Amino acid sequence: AIVCALSCRAWCSDRVYTRVISLSPLVTRIIYLVGGQDCLIGDTTYCNVPDAARHKEKIGSVIRANVEKIVRMQPDLVISSPLSREKQLRTPEYQNIHIMRVKNPATFDELCAITIEIAEKLGKRETACEIVEKCAEQVRQIFEKTKGLEKPGVFVQIGVKPLQAASKAMFINEYIRYSGGVNIAPDESSGIYSREKVIMQNPRVILIATMGSSRKAGSMEKRRWMHFPSIDAVRNGRVYVLEPAMMCSPDPVAFVKGLKIILPMIHPEVSMK
């Protein structure tokens, strides 16, 4: 990530967009992070971080955008999400509105690259580089603290009905990796898991970040896990409820904050000082 940030300074596009619509909560967070919020003229009903994003003009949901409204607002750039429907993106594209298609980052390095790419469109590349470099250095320092330590098995629950696990293909796996743990469900492509399998694998830590639901739902899941004291994580009181929004779609700064929360959960013996 540090190399990526440094090399990004060598080249910059001449085009700066001043009327931008975001179709993704992550994109909206990044726009605010790099100081480009004055360019943001609209976002989705799911864009509520930071709080100021709630007051931007809403163009629909992440999956179902109001295309007519988007065109009527006359943006010069629409930044999509992987959940955006391609058919809906073509209409504004036919109106000579530039579409930037953004995929979900799978790694911290990809998150940093996306941050810089979005910032460049807003004329905020230098700001983004400074933010990314600082975050990358903090992540490196945290990663160094766990080198050589035993890597406990970690189960990350992201869904309730059915029970779903975070695989190594999901961004949330980066928290486990940089905190010095091992994901017990690395290759579950569907994400669907079973409590029986978790019991059999006996993780030392269980993290609950149920996407699309409240923290209360996570607390209820924690109580369910308490019925299985044969699991090390349950027996030793190492079942934790996390904030889904921060864990599942963070910007680089939020990732560092989340990492500092999760590190002592996985390695309580490591000091953050």
Side-chain angles (χ1 to χ4, degrees), residues 132-150:
V132 163
E133 287 167 8
K134 183 177 179 180
C135 289
E137 177 57 21
Q138 290 178 290
V139 169
R140 186 195 66 78
Q141 290 176 7
I142 291 171
F143 188 58
E144 285 292 321
K145 289 177 180 289
T146 64
K147 273 191 174 180
L149 298 179
E150 180 187 0

Side-chain angles (χ1 to χ4, degrees), residues 44-176:
T44 76
T45 53
Y46 289 90
C47 296
N48 50 29
V49 178
D51 285 340
R54 300 175 186 269
H55 306 296
K56 293 291 184 177
E57 187 73 22
K58 301 303 174 184
I59 49 75
S61 69
V62 173
I63 298 174
R64 191 179 297 276
N66 186 330
V67 178
E68 292 77 14
K69 185 173 184 178
I70 291 175
V71 173
R72 197 164 58 244
M73 290 173 68
Q74 298 183 313
D76 52 11
L77 174 66
V78 172
I79 307 180
S80 74
S81 86
L83 296 177
S84 301
R85 297 179 179 179
E86 188 60 31
K87 185 178 179 180
Q88 291 186 324
L89 297 178
R90 287 196 211 104
T91 300
E93 207 163 29
Y94 290 150
Q95 302 292 324
N96 294 319
I97 297 170
H98 183 64
I99 306 295
M100 179 181 177
R101 292 168 172 82
V102 174
K103 67 176 184 178
N104 281 330
T107 66
F108 175 66
D109 284 355
E110 287 183 9
L111 175 62
C112 291
I114 288 171
T115 299
I116 292 168
E117 187 179 2
I118 290 172
E120 180 196 345
K121 302 290 186 184
L122 310 177
K124 301 289 184 179
R125 192 181 186 101
E126 288 295 315
T127 299
C129 285
E130 291 174 6
I131 292 170
V132 163
E133 287 167 8
K134 183 177 179 180
C135 289
E137 177 57 21
Q138 290 178 290
V139 169
R140 186 195 66 78
Q141 290 176 7
I142 291 171
F143 188 58
E144 285 292 321
K145 289 177 180 289
T146 64
K147 273 191 174 180
L149 298 179
E150 180 187 0
K151 298 186 184 300
V154 181
F155 176 70
V156 183
Q157 180 182 350
I158 58 171
V160 179
K161 294 181 180 179
L163 183 71
Q164 287 185 293
S167 72
K168 67 180 180 182
M170 299 185 67
F171 183 83
I172 200 169
N173 185 71
E174 290 290 88
Y175 288 107
I176 304 173

Side-chain angles (χ1 to χ4, degrees), residues 155-209:
F155 176 70
V156 183
Q157 180 182 350
I158 58 171
V160 179
K161 294 181 180 179
L163 183 71
Q164 287 185 293
S167 72
K168 67 180 180 182
M170 299 185 67
F171 183 83
I172 200 169
N173 185 71
E174 290 290 88
Y175 288 107
I176 304 173
R177 186 166 75 90
Y178 283 108
S179 294
V182 175
N183 190 342
I184 70 165
D187 302 313
E188 291 296 320
S189 57
S190 70
I192 298 175
Y193 226 63
S194 69
R195 293 188 195 275
E196 290 76 13
K197 190 178 288 189
V198 176
I199 292 169
M200 183 180 67
Q201 292 179 285
N202 193 25
R204 299 260 295 278
V205 182
I206 295 176
L207 305 178
I208 304 170

Side-chain angles (χ1 to χ4, degrees), residues 10-23:
W11 178 86
C12 188
S13 171
D14 292 332
R15 179 71 190 270
V16 173
Y17 297 88
T18 58
R19 294 183 60 79
V20 180
I21 289 177
S22 165
L23 303 183

Side-chain angles (χ1 to χ4, degrees), residues 231-243:
I231 302 174
D232 280 350
V234 175
R235 186 169 58 254
N236 297 317
R238 299 180 69 183
V239 180
Y240 305 100
V241 179
L242 306 174
E243 184 61 49

